[in-house]
Amino acid sequence: MQRCGDAAMMWGGLSVVLFWAFGLGVVLGAVAVVAGVTALWGRPPGGADPTARDALAGIAAGAVGIALGLLFLWALISPTPPATLP
């Protein structure tokens, strides 16, 4: 499951970088969280797995990408009051 941990880090990093891309950060963040959880579930029981840190970092980065993406979409979609002309 080493590839899932690496993939989680990659997708999580991309979600943080591309949070402004109209929902792409949210989608990539969700993919990172799923890949990270998959990597953690596939660990051998009782053994120290070096990819666990990669998976946790991917989950954290994916969560940050989701939060930033949703915040950006909220700021973009939220209604603004109409401008008054003098």
Side-chain angles (χ1 to χ4, degrees), residues 5-81:
D6 294 340
M9 263 186 39
M10 180 190 67
W11 293 121
L14 283 173
S15 73
V16 171
V17 172
L18 296 174
F19 75 90
W20 53 268
F22 302 106
L24 189 60
V26 176
V27 172
L28 292 177
V31 171
V33 169
V34 168
V37 169
T38 302
L40 288 178
W41 277 347
R43 290 188 307 174
D49 188 14
T51 61
R53 288 185 184 156
D54 294 344
L56 289 174
I59 291 170
V64 169
I66 290 170
L68 288 175
L70 289 176
L71 183 66
F72 178 77
L73 286 175
W74 175 76
L76 187 70
I77 295 173
S78 66
T80 57

